[in-house]
Amino acid sequence: MKIKHLRSKWLGLIPLSLILFLSGCGEMTVLNPKGPVAESQYELIKYSLWFMLGIIVVVFSLFAYMIIKYREGRPGRKESDYDPNLHGNTTIEIIWTIIPLIIVAMLSFPTVTTLFDLEKAPEPEDGQEAKEPLVVHATTADWKWFFSYPEQGIETVNYLHIPTDRPIEFRLTSADAMTALWIPALGGQKYNMAGMQTKLFLQADEEGVYDGRNSNFNGEGFAAQTFKVHAESEKQFEAWAEQIQNEAPALTAEKYDELLKPGLTDKDSFSSTHLEYINHASKEGMGYVVENYRDLFKEKLHLDDIEQQETFQ
Amino acid sequence: MHITDILVTGEPIIYAAMVSIALVSIAILFLLTYFKKWGWLWREWLTTVDHKKIGIMYILSALAMLFRGGMDAMMMRVQLAFPDLGFLDSQHYNEIFTTHGTIMIIFMAMPFLIGLMNIIVPLQIGARDFAFPYVNALSFWSFFFGAMLFNVSFIIGGSPDAGWTSYTPLSGAAMSEGPGQNFYLMGLQLSGIGTLATGINLMVTILKMRAPGMKLFHMPIFTWSTLVTCFIIVFAFPILTVALALLTIDRIFGAQFFTLTGEGLPMMWANLFWMWGHPEVYIVILPAFGIFSEIIATFAKKRLFGYNAMVWSMIIIALLSFLVWVHHFFTMGAGAFVNSVFSVSTMLIAVPTGVKIFNWLATLYKSKIEFSVAMMWALAFIPSFILGGVTGVMLGMAAADYQFHNSYFLVAHFHYVLIAGTVFACFAGLVYWYPKMFGHKMNERIGKWAFWLFFFGFHVCFFPQYFLGLDGMPRRLFITNIVEWLPLNIISTVGAFGMGLGFAVFVFNIYYSFRNSEREETGDSWNGNGRTLEWATTTPIPYYNFATVPYVDEIDPYVRMKEEGKTTYDESKLEPIHMPSYTGAPFIMMAFLALGSFGLIFEWMIVAIAGLIGGVIMMILRSFDYDEGYHVEVDEIKRIERKARGL
Ligand code: HEM
Ligand SMILES: [Cu+2]
Ligand SMILES: [Cu+2]
């Protein structure tokens, strides 16, 4: 009796906790997409979740049935409840091979189509005309973000402004360690790697301020390598870009070099981009930062005040 | 050179660790001397080539490593639940998750399972020892010294801090100066060589030394899982060896394989690492499947359902495990086609795994389940592992993985499979075979306490992490002062302490049972429900295992033997048994190589060369060693067997 009591207790735990946690799901960033890319990934996750819940329900029920019905001391056990030599049944084994195969196939199709879709700019919604993607170069260096807008001729450090309803084509690269650009509200990530360039399409449909970060561990300042994404109307965005173009200083090679030093920096903006001096996406310039700052990398930076970093909030 | 250049200074936690390590070492030295146990330690353990004793040493070391890795885990969880406490700084946290991950996988999970294989596999196939007992000792000592080397890093020289995956260029010489990363490279290299040797050794043992009549498809399922695992080891570990060597050459001798400078290809490391790393996760999960199969059949008192399907699904999993490594970097920008291929192949692994789950459930059908502690671990595995498995499929869907990658969703997933799979299996297997190893059982009542604490702690700890991942919390983050993430992190930490408590009770049970448990009288400890040959030996097992080797031509031979009232022992067929001699050479050889590795870590070339020369000399000596072992005479065997069987 004791065993049974305990068992029902822990079996009860799992659905209970599910309900508890699922009730909070509305607020989970990934399950609350703010753009078409995150939306398609969310749809895929939702779709797969139904299959997974199905599997869980089937296995859990079978499991509960077996351990309750076939426990040794159950009162009222019959002779026929025990068959020590039962050890196979081809039909049923084929069935439980085929069904998972079908499930895998059903998960594969939407996965593959979504994968191909994600390589292109998101399709415009019905009734809207397609817009040229806005190109933003996102470059990381230990432990900060540089966003260059070649079209607008501006560059920001550790924050990002984007127009809504227009695809953003991120060109990702890194000046040193490998990192990844992740803005969960707008969609999943890709790696930034020195000496190469990856492309990531994202788009915001709703205005707002979203969290973005480097999600690939790259050392001491990793936790603070975050940024805010300000998604605003095309008009506001243009106005902002113009303001930066007019008011911010130009990004000189010396200034950029200074910024590349391993360490944390606050937000900043410039009226020109670093793309004119150096292309981290090519193999040629790949060792540039390491060669310049070899000694600085050696030092432990002891970023004790990391919590106070503005970019972290 | 100054002492502070070598010893890690400036951290109160580390000073405390140093003091406690010093105290424990002094206590051990004192006790060994006081009780005059040095000779005993050397003769019985350090020089042993007996697979059973080596297995026990593996398991004891693995338990120690589980303690170390668990302490790391607790410290991380404290930091994450109370970010304002400033318990750990970023650097320290990075070192801890790196050593935690590495220790758990390389120095805890794998050795624990290899320890169980060491003890049980020869018994299950009716063999007297490994094919190469000397090499087996060598393997153990290479693992042991590798683990020790890795473990001293946090007080001497500083720990590695680039994650257990150690991605370049971060882990290269430019961005991770100093000995920390070298500890990772040399510790893994040294123990990896031992693992490879064990793989070959066990493979030969299983293929060549089975009892007469035993075909491959008569082998117990745990032996099968070991054989399949050995194939994975033999194909995967050379990749690791090469990758580690290349990075070592990069770091210490200034080559440019993975650097940003020169012609380096940093991304090559990720490929090499995961070409080994993905198969590695099956190296620690397939034996677990084998253990659960044995336990479920024994305590369900029923033959395993779908034996052939079970074996074939393991083989298919092993093959697929080499074809899916790219799922660890779907976000590398490899393009839709490549990602599609690897996405589908990854999801396919779920099919044979599902087959196994259903076969276990079918084994329970029409059975008589006895809820012993070993069985409870095995049963708890099924629903828990499913929760890890289905999220694994979700991660395998590359387009969705763009959101899951590097997040806490992943952390939750791999702990669900590693703990519910591997760690539950280690505990289950240890409890199950404990009477074979030590001649007494573990206490069942205390065992249940340990089980429930650990089981609840586990779910409370890791289930919330799925949701943290969905809320955008990345892995390897040392601070969580984002308000929305705090509550779930606190819950998770509470769970972690539950697990810690469970582990403590488990270890206490070892001590308690040693003192209080009844000694075993028969070899068939679980109420006569043993099915395979290890239960047909007496307890304690004589050092030659089987006096007369049984003839086997079916699955679960011991069930039939018992029905027919037979034993494996036939006095009329006794012959002298050939046994290998004990030798201290493996221990000494590996101590030299460890010294050499230590030299390389600090780039003290003289020490490195001295260690290497010492190792090579030991190898040369070995090649002139003509010790052929000895024979156990018939009279001696008779005396031992009669005593053990009460004849
Ligand atoms: C007491 C139970 C455990 C707790 C509380 C725990 C907790 C943690 C935590 C907090 C992290 C760091 C996550 C992050 O910041 O990204 C981590 C990472 C990890 N854990 Fe565990 N863990 C436990 C047991 C295990 C076991 C048994 C294994 C393997 C068999 C394991 C393997 C790993 C690995 C491979 C990593 C990744 C390390 C890395 O990112 O480089 N853990 N664990
Ligand atoms: Cu790359
Ligand atoms: Cu994998």
Side-chain angles (χ1 to χ4, degrees):
Chain A
M1 272 342 280
K2 194 170 150 222
I3 286 168
K4 186 181 170 199
H5 171 67
L6 283 173
R7 188 181 330 111
S8 46
K9 207 159 86 185
W10 70 260
L11 275 178
L13 172 86
I14 291 152
L16 196 91
S17 54
L18 258 174
I19 293 164
L20 215 92
F21 287 120
L22 287 177
S23 62
C25 272
E27 287 111 61
M28 306 264 155
T29 319
V30 170
L31 305 182
N32 205 2
K34 303 289 187 206
V37 175
E39 178 84 37
S40 68
Q41 287 164 340
Y42 167 64
E43 289 300 329
L44 194 61
I45 293 171
K46 216 167 53 177
Y47 174 81
S48 65
L49 261 178
W50 287 116
F51 283 93
M52 299 310 140
L53 278 177
I55 295 169
I56 289 175
V57 167
V58 169
V59 173
F60 277 40
S61 339
L62 279 173
F63 177 76
Y65 176 77
M66 297 300 172
I67 63 169
I68 291 169
K69 173 126 193 238
Y70 296 110
R71 66 188 196 276
E72 181 152 46
R74 180 172 61 90
R77 264 189 80 108
K78 290 195 281 295
E79 268 303 296
S80 63
D81 283 344
Y82 185 49
D83 181 2
N85 289 316
L86 175 81
H87 64 264
N89 179 332
T90 316
T91 326
I92 187 163
E93 287 178 72
I94 289 176
I95 293 177
W96 70 47
T97 314
I98 301 267
I99 292 180
L101 261 176
I102 295 174
I103 295 180
V104 167
M106 291 175 72
L107 295 176
S108 293
F109 289 114
T111 304
V112 171
T113 47
T114 312
L115 273 174
F116 278 90
D117 286 347
L118 291 178
E119 296 297 309
K120 305 183 295 249
E123 306 270 320
E125 273 174 47
D126 292 337
Q128 287 190 341
E129 84 258 48
K131 287 186 191 156
E132 266 306 288
L134 171 73
V135 175
V136 178
H137 288 252
T139 308
T140 59
D142 280 1
W143 292 278
K144 46 197 107 57
W145 285 95
F146 298 95
F147 298 104
S148 328
Y149 299 74
E151 205 180 304
Q152 284 73 14
I154 56 173
E155 177 150 330
T156 60
V157 181
N158 289 336
Y159 78 105
L160 183 62
H161 277 245
I162 55 169
T164 50
D165 298 318
R166 177 172 174 193
I168 315 293
E169 178 184 328
F170 285 102
R171 306 234 174 116
L172 310 176
T173 191
S174 161
D176 39 45
M178 189 167 147
T179 51
L181 179 111
W182 189 26
I183 308 169
L186 302 187
Q189 61 204 289
K190 262 193 197 156
Y191 285 156
N192 303 53
M193 299 167 286
M196 21 188 127
Q197 192 172 72
T198 38
K199 252 189 212 175
L200 176 68
F201 288 99
L202 296 178
Q203 179 177 325
D205 283 344
E206 268 177 53
E207 292 180 21
V209 182
Y210 307 118
D211 290 313
R213 63 166 57 246
N214 162 23
S215 66
N216 189 64
F217 177 71
N218 64 340
E220 231 184 324
F222 167 65
Q225 199 171 1
T226 57
F227 57 91
K228 291 281 179 207
V229 186
H230 302 263
E232 55 209 8
S233 70
E234 187 96 39
K235 242 201 227 101
Q236 275 171 310
F237 172 76
E238 298 292 347
W240 168 81
E242 205 166 278
Q243 188 195 356
I244 301 290
Q245 183 54 261
N246 292 336
E247 290 172 12
L251 179 56
T252 59
E254 293 76 48
K255 177 70 185 168
Y256 183 61
D257 245 8
E258 185 67 20
L259 284 170
L260 282 179
K261 272 189 193 167
L264 302 177
T265 39
D266 267 335
K267 289 185 265 194
D268 218 336
S269 358
F270 299 97
S271 56
S272 64
T273 73
H274 77 265
L275 302 173
E276 294 142 39
Y277 320 118
I278 170 80
N279 180 5
H280 300 291
S282 104
K283 274 215 141 339
E284 232 127 285
M286 192 165 76
Y288 168 72
V289 173
V290 170
E291 271 153 12
N292 276 4
Y293 298 115
R294 203 176 280 279
D295 288 332
L296 265 187
F297 279 110
K298 269 178 209 173
E299 277 169 34
K300 292 246 178 299
L301 293 161
H302 288 298
L303 305 170
D304 290 327
D305 55 347
I306 204 161
E307 297 110 278
Q308 270 85 57
Q309 271 298 313
E310 207 218 338
T311 57
F312 188 68
Q313 295 310 314
Chain B
M1 177 161 293
H2 207 265
I3 186 79
T4 49
D5 293 343
I6 304 173
L7 281 183
V8 178
T9 51
E11 291 261 3
I13 302 176
I14 291 179
Y15 288 132
M18 283 181 192
V19 172
S20 53
I21 290 175
L23 288 179
V24 171
S25 315
I26 292 170
I28 292 173
L29 296 181
F30 175 78
L31 288 176
L32 284 172
T33 313
Y34 186 79
F35 290 106
K36 302 202 173 57
K37 289 289 189 191
W38 286 103
W40 164 82
L41 186 68
W42 177 257
R43 277 191 313 276
E44 295 286 320
W45 295 96
L46 302 188
T47 60
T48 188
V49 294
D50 182 338
H51 69 99
K52 301 180 284 295
K53 285 191 173 170
I54 291 178
I56 287 174
M57 291 195 291
Y58 263 118
I59 291 174
L60 289 179
S61 319
L63 280 171
M65 289 297 104
L66 184 54
F67 176 74
R68 157 82 208 263
M71 290 303 282
D72 285 346
M74 298 299 138
M75 294 206 284
M76 286 190 286
R77 283 304 342 160
V78 169
Q79 166 64 25
L80 291 177
F82 305 102
D84 293 335
L85 224 56
F87 179 58
L88 301 175
D89 65 15
S90 173
Q91 176 61 25
H92 200 174
Y93 187 88
N94 300 345
E95 294 179 7
I96 289 181
F97 75 66
T98 303
T99 49
H100 164 79
T102 314
I103 284 178
M104 284 298 195
I105 300 225
I106 308 281
F107 301 123
M108 189 289 285
M110 225 180 2
F112 208 126
L113 295 166
I114 290 180
L116 290 171
M117 291 173 186
N118 250 275
I119 299 168
I120 299 306
V121 167
L123 293 171
Q124 283 198 330
I125 60 174
R128 295 217 162 96
D129 204 324
F130 270 46
F132 310 109
Y134 181 96
V135 176
N136 194 23
L138 211 63
S139 300
F140 171 74
W141 291 112
S142 85
F143 145 69
F144 184 82
F145 282 113
M148 289 306 114
L149 209 56
F150 189 83
N151 269 278
V152 296
S153 66
F154 80 109
I155 44 172
I156 303 176
S159 293
D161 60 358
W164 88 284
T165 51
S166 219
Y167 273 13
T168 52
L170 178 63
S171 64
M175 290 187 220
S176 296
E177 253 277 307
Q181 211 52 41
N182 296 347
F183 269 111
Y184 172 93
L185 292 168
M186 299 316 294
L188 260 66
Q189 190 67 283
L190 195 59
S191 70
I193 292 167
T195 309
L196 181 57
T198 298
I200 298 171
N201 205 345
L202 269 166
M203 198 150 118
V204 177
T205 307
I206 295 172
L207 291 177
K208 287 290 182 191
M209 301 186 42
R210 295 192 306 280
M214 186 188 269
K215 296 218 177 65
L216 282 179
F217 276 82
H218 292 152
M219 294 196 309
I221 201 82
F222 177 58
T223 299
W224 252 117
S225 71
T226 304
L227 181 63
V228 176
T229 304
C230 289
F231 269 96
I232 306 183
I233 290 177
V234 168
F235 283 99
F237 264 78
I239 309 174
L240 177 71
T241 307
V242 169
L244 292 172
L246 293 180
L247 188 52
T248 310
I249 297 170
D250 260 17
R251 289 181 55 87
I252 298 179
F253 302 104
Q256 310 262 5
F257 292 112
F258 305 121
T259 53
L260 283 180
T261 48
E263 295 288 298
L265 291 173
M267 246 52 71
M268 199 59 201
W269 169 267
N271 275 286
L272 290 174
F273 182 87
W274 286 115
M275 273 189 224
W276 160 79
H278 188 80
E280 166 69 19
V281 305
Y282 288 92
I283 294 174
V284 297
I285 205 66
L286 289 180
F289 287 174
I291 293 170
F292 291 131
S293 301
E294 300 283 0
I295 292 175
I296 289 176
T298 303
F299 293 101
K301 308 185 182 77
K302 189 160 165 276
R303 209 174 129 174
L304 187 68
F305 192 93
Y307 172 92
N308 285 339
M310 288 298 228
V311 171
W312 280 108
S313 52
M314 283 197 288
I315 294 173
I316 293 169
I317 291 175
L319 294 177
L320 282 175
S321 76
F322 282 93
L323 303 179
V324 301
W325 81 95
V326 172
H327 66 215
H328 294 275
F329 37 88
F330 278 148
T331 61
M332 179 84 90
F337 180 72
V338 173
N339 280 353
S340 299
V341 170
F342 283 95
S343 184
V344 174
S345 60
T346 299
M347 282 191 271
L348 274 180
I349 295 190
V351 177
T353 313
V355 168
K356 295 186 80 71
I357 300 272
F358 286 117
N359 274 313
W360 286 312
L361 289 172
T363 307
L364 296 176
Y365 177 68
K366 297 215 170 187
S367 68
K368 272 189 197 160
I369 302 170
E370 178 188 337
F371 292 93
S372 71
V373 172
M375 184 64 161
M376 285 165 65
W377 286 108
L379 289 177
F381 150 77
I382 296 177
S384 311
F385 188 81
I386 286 285
L387 290 176
V390 293
T391 50
V393 175
M394 293 170 70
L395 290 166
M397 302 168 68
D401 183 59
Y402 289 177
Q403 285 281 31
F404 300 139
H405 187 65
N406 271 339
S407 79
Y408 254 72
F409 193 89
L410 171 83
V411 176
H413 155 72
F414 71 66
H415 283 96
Y416 256 91
V417 285
L418 278 168
I419 295 182
T422 306
V423 177
F424 282 18
C426 290
F427 289 160
L430 182 58
V431 172
Y432 178 56
W433 283 307
Y434 204 82
K436 279 277 130 188
M437 298 176 199
F438 297 105
H440 61 269
K441 284 185 190 154
M442 279 172 90
N443 182 290
E444 288 272 309
R445 207 165 51 86
I446 302 177
K448 283 185 184 165
W449 273 99
F451 169 81
W452 287 115
L453 281 168
F454 199 89
F455 177 83
F456 276 119
F458 164 67
H459 284 282
V460 174
C461 180
F462 292 105
F463 202 66
Q465 294 182 1
Y466 283 124
F467 298 94
L468 285 171
L470 291 175
D471 205 20
M473 177 163 161
R475 73 193 287 207
R476 297 172 169 181
L477 192 67
F478 89 108
I479 195 158
T480 53
N481 53 5
I482 290 183
V483 190
E484 297 84 43
W485 295 344
L486 258 183
L488 288 182
N489 268 302
I490 293 171
I491 295 176
S492 176
T493 299
V494 171
F497 276 85
M499 297 171 80
L501 205 60
F503 177 69
V505 175
F506 192 95
V507 172
F508 169 73
N509 198 4
I510 293 179
Y511 167 78
Y512 180 89
S513 311
F514 170 70
R515 298 295 297 264
N516 300 318
S517 274
E518 253 175 72
R519 304 299 109 165
E520 284 298 305
E521 305 275 310
T522 75
D524 194 6
S525 305
W526 298 107
N527 303 330
N529 287 320
R531 310 183 69 82
T532 39
L533 284 180
E534 75 267 32
W535 305 107
T537 60
T538 54
T539 296
I541 312 168
Y543 52 92
Y544 49 75
N545 292 357
F546 294 91
T548 48
V549 176
Y551 181 84
V552 179
D553 58 0
E554 62 189 324
I555 297 165
D556 294 347
Y558 190 45
V559 176
R560 168 88 68 96
M561 271 185 217
K562 282 187 284 192
E563 277 167 14
E564 297 176 353
K566 289 192 191 139
T567 64
T568 59
Y569 182 57
D570 185 349
E571 215 167 80
S572 65
K573 288 209 191 120
L574 283 184
E575 278 170 31
I577 297 173
H578 178 243
M579 295 298 290
S581 322
Y582 280 17
T583 161
F587 178 84
I588 298 169
M589 189 192 295
M590 283 306 158
F592 272 124
L593 290 183
L595 178 73
S597 308
F598 190 75
L600 269 185
I601 288 168
F602 284 95
E603 305 184 24
W604 299 334
M605 288 309 151
I606 301 187
V607 181
I609 293 169
L612 191 66
I613 292 178
V616 171
I617 290 177
M618 289 307 293
M619 290 179 204
I620 295 173
L621 287 181
R622 162 69 177 166
S623 65
F624 288 104
D625 176 6
Y626 299 109
D627 184 352
E628 295 276 314
Y630 62 98
H631 281 85
V632 191
E633 297 308 329
V634 171
D635 287 343
E636 166 86 356
I637 304 172
K638 249 187 212 160
R639 197 180 56 70
I640 295 175
E641 290 290 324
R642 285 196 167 157
K643 181 159 170 267
R645 290 168 191 276
L647 294 173

